[in-house]
Amino acid sequence: MSGPLAEVLDGQRRADLQRAARALLKEPLLTADGPYADEFRLVRRHQAELREWFERNVGWTLRTDADAARLRKTPGTLTDATHPAREATRTALPFTRRRYVLLCLALAALERGEAQVALGRLAEQIVLAAADPELVAAGIVFTLERRDERLDLAAVVRLLLRAGVLRRVAGDEEAYISGSGDVLYDVRRRVLAGMPASLRGPSLVEAEEFEERLVEMTARTALDSDELRFRAIRWKLTRLLLDDPVLYYDDLTDDELAYLTRQRGFITARIGELTGLVPEVRAEGVAMVDPLDDLTDVRMPEQGTHGHVTLLLAQHLAGAGRPVEPAELARRVRELAAEHGGFWAKSAREPGAEPVLVAQALEKLVALGLAEHTEQGVVPRPALARYAVGEAVVREPGAPPNRPHPPTPPDTIVKDER
């Protein structure tokens, strides 16, 4: 087939492939009846091409069946803790240490259980598992005697519902929390089997320190040749460009920087072809900008009080150009409240709210690669320059109303909002 029809069909195939790839990057576990059911069908249709691309370029495996598609992702940086699991509610609060432990215990109990389970029965199994002496020695206490413990368990279950591991048959989690009822779930075993993303099971890892265990769980093979070492570097760089808002040259080793310098055009072109992300290269690093602005778990700017405070503090940090202590940022929030408080929530205007507002803003700025914590204070990173406010321009009466803005300085990287 040739001609205009062939071009249309080829363009549609590329669009469908890109849509499927973006869905996997947003939700590495897709189910046939989940919120991304249409994208799941596209993943199934293009599974061979997607599997080959992810395996070759990032070392991620893609498993698909009639129920689910699972992209087993390994992050470019194992120690990055700025993108935690979050509640499947509007608050989207990050998971605590205890909730992570409960999630692991719940998965273990479900793996050994039946095709259906009641929340009360699951809770009993988790309580027994949490009594393990090693967990107790690590400070994990879970007895279901307090309401906050039931809230933690409900948050874990709702995460599993969102992932498609569980399907609610009857009941409601709120009733269980209040002690007035129970909930019955179907356990979807194929989806459950796809939850672990590590290359090696935790029980096979011999290291004791957390960081060493992460390395062993994600290691592919011994790097005993130049080809394998270059492949590992390519995988890491591509992972960083896909997952992180900004890749800074200063964060790379000499070998990684040399490889990126030689292969940057090839790597960014391959990413752009699959995902539609657009490379923006600056003196300090590279950002893969998303024109559709939906490959993100952290947005900026955003509406609401916290979004406004974060943006205003970003402007302050960008203008400071030096380390800033959190206490100084709290004082700045008090000043801003006098000017903008009429647009903020009442709780944000109350005395003593400043440290919480600063902490929430910094959490977002650090997650986006716009700032970092150091011993000297909070340090703005180059991409934060996008939020610097320039000098005011006074226009004489009768002058043209739309004067062009000066271009972004060539040594300033532009933020990616993924």
Side-chain angles (χ1 to χ4, degrees):
M1 186 182 298
S2 61
L5 178 58
E7 294 179 2
V8 171
L9 293 177
D10 185 57
Q12 183 62 52
R13 184 198 66 81
R14 291 197 302 270
D16 288 346
L17 178 65
Q18 187 177 110
R19 184 181 173 190
R22 290 173 65 91
L24 286 170
L25 292 174
K26 286 189 291 187
E27 297 285 343
L29 178 56
L30 300 174
T31 57
D33 57 352
Y36 293 94
D38 292 340
E39 287 80 359
F40 170 80
R41 287 188 284 272
L42 292 177
V43 170
R44 290 272 286 172
R45 183 184 307 167
H46 298 282
Q47 58 185 311
E49 190 170 354
L50 289 166
R51 185 178 294 115
E52 191 278 333
W53 194 98
F54 285 119
E55 174 65 29
R56 176 179 177 79
N57 292 281
V58 283
W60 296 341
T61 58
L62 174 63
R63 304 288 178 86
T64 61
D65 57 37
D67 292 330
R70 176 59 158 136
L71 179 63
R72 287 188 166 91
K73 297 174 63 178
T74 301
T77 304
L78 296 177
T79 57
D80 183 8
T82 60
H83 300 275
R86 294 183 177 275
E87 290 183 358
T89 61
R90 289 186 62 185
T91 59
L93 294 174
F95 263 37
T96 61
R97 178 170 178 259
R98 184 168 67 184
R99 288 185 178 184
Y100 277 117
V101 174
L102 292 181
L103 174 60
C104 294
L105 295 179
L107 291 173
L110 293 171
E111 179 64 28
R112 296 189 299 264
E114 303 295 332
Q116 283 191 330
V117 65
L119 181 52
R121 175 58 180 162
L122 178 62
E124 293 172 358
Q125 295 173 332
I126 293 175
V127 168
L128 290 175
D132 183 281
E134 292 190 12
L135 289 177
V136 174
I140 299 299
V141 177
F142 186 72
T143 62
L144 282 180
E145 294 178 355
R146 302 194 310 271
R147 188 173 187 274
D148 65 297
E149 294 179 329
R150 295 194 295 274
L151 285 170
D152 284 346
L153 181 58
V156 167
V157 167
R158 285 166 178 157
L159 182 69
L160 295 177
L161 284 167
R162 183 180 182 278
V165 174
L166 299 176
R167 181 187 290 134
R168 191 185 294 109
V169 177
D172 180 78
E173 290 78 31
E174 290 298 328
Y176 174 80
I177 293 171
S178 63
S180 61
D182 207 341
V183 197
L184 181 65
Y185 305 103
D186 284 336
V187 181
R188 305 176 67 186
R189 296 206 164 277
R190 287 186 177 179
V191 184
L192 173 63
M195 284 295 287
S198 61
L199 298 175
R200 298 178 61 190
S203 61
L204 301 177
V205 175
E206 298 180 355
E208 295 184 359
E209 296 297 327
F210 178 69
E211 291 77 9
E212 295 176 357
R213 290 180 64 83
L214 285 179
V215 172
E216 284 196 31
M217 289 171 63
T218 56
R220 289 289 294 249
T221 184
L223 305 179
D224 55 0
S225 70
D226 288 342
E227 180 180 355
L228 291 177
R229 282 190 288 272
F230 288 144
R231 185 189 69 180
I233 291 175
R234 182 178 74 249
W235 284 355
K236 177 180 178 179
L237 294 174
T238 308
R239 291 169 181 175
L240 291 171
L241 289 169
L242 280 173
D243 272 351
D244 293 354
V246 180
L247 186 157
Y248 289 106
Y249 298 142
D250 288 346
D251 294 337
L252 303 178
T253 65
D254 292 341
D255 289 343
E256 291 165 354
L257 181 57
Y259 187 91
L260 181 60
T261 302
R262 296 192 307 269
Q263 301 292 332
R264 183 178 62 202
F266 171 77
I267 293 175
T268 56
R270 292 281 288 174
I271 293 175
E273 180 183 359
L274 181 75
T275 66
L277 299 175
V278 179
E280 186 157 344
V281 181
R282 298 286 172 167
E284 303 90 354
V286 183
M288 297 299 298
V289 180
D290 181 15
L292 301 181
D293 190 31
D294 66 349
L295 283 182
T296 182
D297 61 344
V298 181
R299 274 191 163 78
M300 182 177 171
E302 64 176 357
Q303 296 180 349
T305 299
H306 297 307
H308 192 197
V309 172
T310 301
L311 185 60
L312 293 172
L313 288 182
Q315 293 175 356
H316 180 75
L317 280 169
R322 56 174 174 79
V324 178
E325 292 290 342
E328 177 183 334
L329 295 176
R331 290 193 295 272
R332 180 57 181 157
V333 169
R334 284 196 293 272
E335 297 170 356
L336 293 169
E339 182 178 355
H340 303 284
F343 302 99
W344 295 0
K346 181 180 179 181
S347 59
R349 303 194 302 268
E350 295 178 353
E354 298 86 3
V356 175
L357 294 172
V358 169
Q360 292 172 332
L362 292 180
E363 179 183 6
K364 176 166 293 190
L365 295 177
V366 171
L368 288 170
L370 302 175
E372 62 180 340
H373 292 283
T374 68
E375 294 181 356
Q376 291 74 36
V378 180
V379 176
R381 304 209 72 183
L384 195 65
R386 170 60 64 89
Y387 297 96
V389 178
E391 294 292 333
V393 176
V394 179
R395 182 167 54 87
E396 297 294 334
N402 295 319
R403 294 181 177 177
H405 294 285
T408 303
D411 60 344
T412 300
I413 192 170
V414 175
K415 174 184 68 66
D416 169 51
E417 295 177 356
R418 284 182 293 123

